[in-house]
Amino acid sequence: MAAGSLHLAVTFLSVLTGVLSFPLGQETKCSDTCGYESCHATKPNMLNVHLVPHTHDDVGWLKTVDQYYYGDRNDIQHAGVQYILDSVVDQLLKNPDRRFIYVETAFFYRWWKQQSSSTQQTVKQLVNEGRLEFVNGGWCMSDEATTHYSAVIDQMTMGLRFLNETFGPCGRPRVAWHIDPFGHAREHASMFAQMGYDGFFFGRLDYQDRSQRMMKKEQELLWRASDSLTPPMADLFTGILPNGYNPPEGFCWDQSCDDPPIRDDPDLEDYNVDDVVRRFLTIANSQALVYKTNHIIMTMGSDFQYENANLWYKNLDKLIHYVNAQQSNGSKVNVLYSTPSCYLQELHRANLTWPLKTDDFFPYADNAHDFWTGYFTSRPALKRYERISNSNLQTCNQLEVLAGPVSRERPFGKGDSQTMKKAMAVAQHHDAVSGTEKQHVANDYARRLANGWQHCQVLVSNSLAALSSSSAERIYCDNLNISVCPLTESSKKFSVNVYNPLARPVTWPVRLPVNGTAYTVSDAKGKSVDCQVVPVSRATREVRRNRGFAVNELVFQVQAPPLGYSTYSVSLVQDGPPPASAHHRTPTVIQNKFLRVTFDPDTGLLSSLSNVETKQSIKLTQNFYWYNASDGNNTESIQPSGAYIFRPNSSTPFIISRTAKTETVQTSVVQEVRQWFSPWVSQVVRLHADSRALELEWTVGPLPIDDDLGKEVITRLDTSIKTSEIFYTDSNGREMLERKKDFRPTWHLKQSEPIAGNYYPINSRAYIKDDVDQLTVVTDRSQGGGSIHNGSLEIMLHRRLLYDDVRGVAEPLNETSSIFPEGLVVRGRLLLSLDRPPVAADTHRPLAQEVVLQPLLTFTNGDLSPNTRLEFSGLQAALPSAVHLLTLTQWDKDSVLLRLEHQFQSWESKVNSKPVTVNLQKLFSTLQVLGVSELNLSANQWKDEMIRFDWTPQTGKKPLLKTFEDPSVWEVTLRPMEIRTFLLRVSLR
Ligand SMILES: *[C@@H]1O[C@H](CO)[C@@H](O)[C@H](O)[C@H]1NC(C)=O
Ligand SMILES: *[C@@H]1O[C@H](CO)[C@@H](O)[C@H](O)[C@H]1NC(C)=O
Ligand SMILES: [Zn+2]
């Protein structure tokens, strides 16, 4: 059918013009194969130029994801993905040689749903013949600096699942494709390797790194992306594209471009074929000089191109024809329609060795004063909302599994996890959680997450009703961080259900806004729990504005079982003791059984931190500063600081205040020193009775801009630790990487921005250490940070900027809202722990995990009915401390997807960095496990069918594929940093 219409079109064309005779250049083969077998033949004795027609479709940026799909608001940016897919399919049918790749499943899925079954059939055929090929294939092309691995794996799984279910094996992408993200994380490479990709291509890297790689022909390399996984598990062949992701200069034939079309009628006076061919050969030959093989790739497309695909394809057909026609005159250049996987296959066939890389591609600079390190922190409120949404989604997923189908139905009506999954998936896009979108688009992402959470709340309520046998209404308080919860503010008696999504028991501090002065709290066994009432701080009253009216906060510790909940009941005591009061003096010390913290009584600042158990102690001062943002008005460069780029106008930050006014509250449950630095910066230094970490709860904003300068606020920890200008940051929340000031491990850096050029993404933690002390800071969202001075660690908390940084977003990052018209106020937490370096991971791994997957509190008013089940665990027993239950989610009617993760690196811990074995059959309390199959990390391929290209590093040997046999199907062993993915066939017990 497709071929018939093709020949018609061709005949028509050649009659009309009398110039072209089809097929153009290369052999036409109507194969019925996809993947590597469907690649066009190449010529071994020539330079083969792989033309890759593609479009880069942001899942939200200047417009929302829906506006981009429909082509709405073309006044903002001309872009309509539905028309792109319509047009490309038409054009592919016109010539079987043509190829197209598609990347973002969030868009493709929308389009697919709207097609007739005959169009769907046609598209399936194009996919089966390798003419339309999916690459990457996740829901979106995720950001790499500010995403957490858990959400990245989920969004990839969602996109790849749709492709597998719709197209089968021919829909499985072979290549990962991150052409636009602004720097590249090692953990992303590790994940892609474990998802079965044969190779990875990207467009952006530091300009100095690129030029050195070009000289050494090292733009194609083997990335060894884990220091713990046995090679080649995390080895990923990585290619750097020649021109970002754009076509070579002069060869953009989209309707949005102005390059001359190929005018090939010799009877007309502006015939330009000779010129086009000459220019193309020049570009191809010079590109070949900086790559190793006789194959090169050219990305023929760009942002939202191919809306009128005829323009591109008509000219590409001719380009191929006329360039290859020169072969009869001795030209050694062969051009072909291709895809990234076809190009990759040729690199693999070349059987060369490739330079080995073990660090990452951060930070990214595209010029001397243009470091893309601002977006590590941009939109801190959205970044936190995305992270907490992930926590809530995992809880929602788990509870859907643990209570079964009833959780989607009753007693509170229809609930689902799917809406939240999709909202989280689009939020991973490289202009979403990264903070580099327009304000209205950021609002759209937040609205989607809020809507997803609404759907999940119904599901969670249904599930908890089933598990607890109580259909009392559940109330959610999403604003506890600013002490707002209408129920607890007014109720005399209520209960709190604490659901813990971790596979081990947790102890967690709870803090509820109340108006009474004394309460009793009892646990699920009826035992009374130590609780204290403390006054609401001034900073909290100011940030919550008129959204709540509590004068006090009730504080107590809760314990919740693994993958389960515990219920606490709270009652107001009429004539109880008065609440704790705040004293206006700085204590010299606060202390619990793990930590001792001292303050300087003159300044009110922290002065030291000690670990009571190990008897180690460091000097520690901490304060807040801001960098004035460059407004782009100086001699070195006109680059201003903006949503993407961090460019302070001086390397010396301004101190907000040398001293803090303090207030102290000391009780048996919590001790806190409330520090007031300025009307826009305050902090609570908090030590809970049972915590191994010191909490710094910061509140920053609205950042004043009356001096007409943008501000970038940091907190800086200055310690006595001797760091030799080295600090460590995590990669997407997993493995740690060493960072050295003014240094890059694999290339020679000429440093031109002493602050911005030393900033790195911190997803979940950073630490500084020497031989005896390690100070780890766990963050509650992604932030940027650096270690500019010895013993010092700074973290950027908030930024407000008055100029656009000319990377396309065309808005200054100046966030306001209806509640904060004078500028956004942001609150967050840093958790500090001090340990001996060899055992530090035993503290910071579980600590970070508790921040990423935090307990979910739900409330019921009044008395619970007497047969309510007050405590529940979804597990038969807690998992070993090295094991993290990463995913538990319903897959289809009878099966669930389970991911177990070894959360320690191989060198990190004496106790925990050992292989651990878990029995899958003895895992769950509510589920019987009937069968198990293992999948790749993205769950779109059976593990035993996952065969990847093997690559040989320049140094060292080609790694041999080891297969680790599990002792039995049910007993699975996890080695350091390993994630294993299982599909379990289950039935409810
Ligand atoms: C690849 O190169 C190696 C070492 O040069 C050689 O031993 C091997 O036979 C080659 N493989 C193929 C398929 O050409
Ligand atoms: C891929 O999809 C097919 C068709 O729905 C299904 O039978 C198969 O199990 C899927 N593969 C994986 C690995 O999930
Ligand atoms: Zn993009």
Side-chain angles (χ1 to χ4, degrees), residues 254-327:
D254 193 67
Q255 64 181 14
S256 65
C257 300
D258 304 321
D259 292 339
I262 298 183
R263 301 181 300 250
D264 54 348
D265 185 342
D267 296 340
L268 299 184
E269 67 182 37
D270 50 3
Y271 180 84
N272 69 350
V273 170
D274 299 341
D275 173 61
V276 169
V277 169
R278 188 181 42 75
R279 282 190 290 118
F280 186 81
L281 291 176
T282 306
I283 288 171
N285 285 318
S286 74
Q287 190 179 320
L289 297 177
V290 293
Y291 288 91
K292 268 189 176 169
T293 71
N294 64 325
H295 293 265
I296 58 172
I297 184 171
M298 291 184 183
T299 43
M300 306 309 277
S302 194
D303 291 8
F304 297 98
Q305 293 196 357
Y306 287 78
E307 190 175 309
N308 183 355
N310 181 43
L311 276 66
W312 258 117
Y313 280 115
K314 194 172 211 170
N315 285 286
L316 287 173
D317 284 349
K318 291 179 183 177
L319 181 75
I320 292 168
H321 172 76
Y322 291 115
V323 172
N324 290 350
Q326 291 303 313
Q327 290 169 10

Side-chain angles (χ1 to χ4, degrees), residues 349-421:
R349 280 182 181 152
N351 195 22
L352 303 177
T353 62
W354 306 93
L356 191 68
K357 181 179 174 74
T358 57
D359 61 326
D360 68 354
F361 289 96
F362 283 121
Y364 164 55
D366 57 7
N367 217 326
H369 301 284
D370 313 51
F371 279 85
W372 299 45
T373 51
Y375 80 98
F376 300 163
T377 300
S378 294
R379 301 194 186 279
L382 181 67
K383 282 182 164 68
R384 174 61 187 155
Y385 192 46
E386 182 276 335
R387 189 64 61 87
I388 204 165
S389 296
N390 184 47
S391 180
N392 287 339
L393 172 60
Q394 302 307 325
T395 289
C396 181
N397 287 340
Q398 293 178 4
L399 283 168
E400 184 174 9
V401 170
L402 294 175
V406 66
S407 58
R408 295 187 292 274
E409 301 291 338
R410 53 177 191 276
F412 301 108
K414 291 214 179 297
D416 70 271
S417 54
Q418 202 59 25
T419 314
M420 184 90 173
K421 280 185 179 137

Side-chain angles (χ1 to χ4, degrees), residues 164-165 935 939-942:
N164 176 50
E165 289 182 348
L935 293 150
N940 64 329
Q941 215 184 3
W942 303 110

